Amino acid sequence: MFSQDTVSKITAAAQDAKIEPAALLAVAELESGGRAYALVNGRREPLIRFEAHYFDRRLDADRRAAAREQGLAAPVAGAVPNPKTQAARWRMLERAAAIDAKAAYESTSWGLGQVMGAHWAWLDYPDVDALVAEARSGVAGQVRLMLRYIGKAGLADALRRRDWPAFARSYNGPGYRQNAYDRKLAACYARLA
């Protein structure tokens, strides 16, 4: 579970956003498994998830062929499994970035809120590197990124009302019911409140 320092940072950011801390903590815990970072090559890094189908769509034909040959891209979601460990996921991201860094970073979800890098322009970052820098700056940066997404997507009110299905539909996607995302959020909130 989160360290007290992480809980304090999420709590402070939630209070600034006028969101009940337990609600924001529930989202962060569900998305990150209660871990704010992983130790990768001796450095604290945010948790990531590389999406090979996003990467596939962002590449020109030559780079797409190279990425597919290396097992880093596929046209269908889930065709390239994510490694189990964060260290292996970061190695996968490094290999993808060697083909096309911008496309690789856009194809990765970042930090406590698992916000996709592809949202950088919509979230008013100057480029994907700025979004990645925010996520890599520490827990406070990860929370700012998550709250920026929640605010831009108009989800703060759903969190304030604890309307888990409304939040889940937008945050986790239309298949949220299949993975019980709304019920998991509600249970996580109940435990933390």
Side-chain angles (χ1 to χ4, degrees):
M1 292 292 116
F2 291 134
S3 70
Q4 188 53 52
D5 180 60
T6 298
V7 170
S8 295
K9 287 178 177 157
I10 295 171
T11 297
Q15 290 169 336
D16 288 346
K18 297 183 176 29
I19 294 171
E20 184 180 0
L24 190 61
L25 278 161
V27 175
E29 186 174 299
L30 188 55
E31 288 292 326
S32 70
R35 293 174 47 212
Y37 60 87
L39 200 57
V40 179
N41 297 326
R43 177 180 160 81
R44 286 182 173 187
E45 294 286 8
L47 302 185
I48 61 168
R49 181 176 176 84
F50 180 73
E51 301 290 354
H53 64 292
Y54 270 69
F55 193 48
D56 194 75
R57 287 182 277 196
R58 287 174 162 66
L59 298 171
D60 62 35
D62 291 339
R63 290 180 184 170
R64 183 178 304 115
R68 285 181 179 181
E69 186 175 305
Q70 293 180 46
L72 296 169
V76 178
V80 176
N82 246 274
K84 296 213 182 291
T85 70
Q86 283 293 311
R89 289 180 185 194
W90 275 91
R91 284 191 299 275
M92 181 181 231
L93 176 59
E94 288 168 6
R95 290 176 45 227
I99 294 170
D100 186 319
K102 180 177 185 274
Y105 295 155
E106 288 177 342
S107 303
T108 302
S109 57
W110 296 91
L112 289 168
Q114 288 296 286
V115 175
M116 286 300 295
H119 296 310
W120 65 267
W122 180 66
L123 294 174
D124 299 319
Y125 286 98
D127 52 36
V128 70
D129 292 328
L131 181 148
V132 171
E134 179 93 288
R136 294 181 83 184
S137 70
V139 171
Q142 292 180 49
V143 176
R144 283 191 301 272
L145 172 58
M146 180 172 58
L147 279 171
R148 187 181 279 203
Y149 182 89
I150 288 168
K152 185 76 173 196
L155 294 173
D157 284 340
L159 267 187
R160 289 181 188 112
R161 293 189 315 270
R162 295 184 300 280
D163 184 345
W164 307 122
F167 183 86
R169 186 177 311 108
S170 184
Y171 200 85
N172 193 250
Y176 75 94
R177 281 191 182 113
Q178 293 169 345
N179 60 26
Y181 189 86
D182 57 331
R183 292 192 304 276
K184 290 174 185 173
L185 261 180
C188 198
Y189 168 81
R191 186 174 41 75
L192 295 167

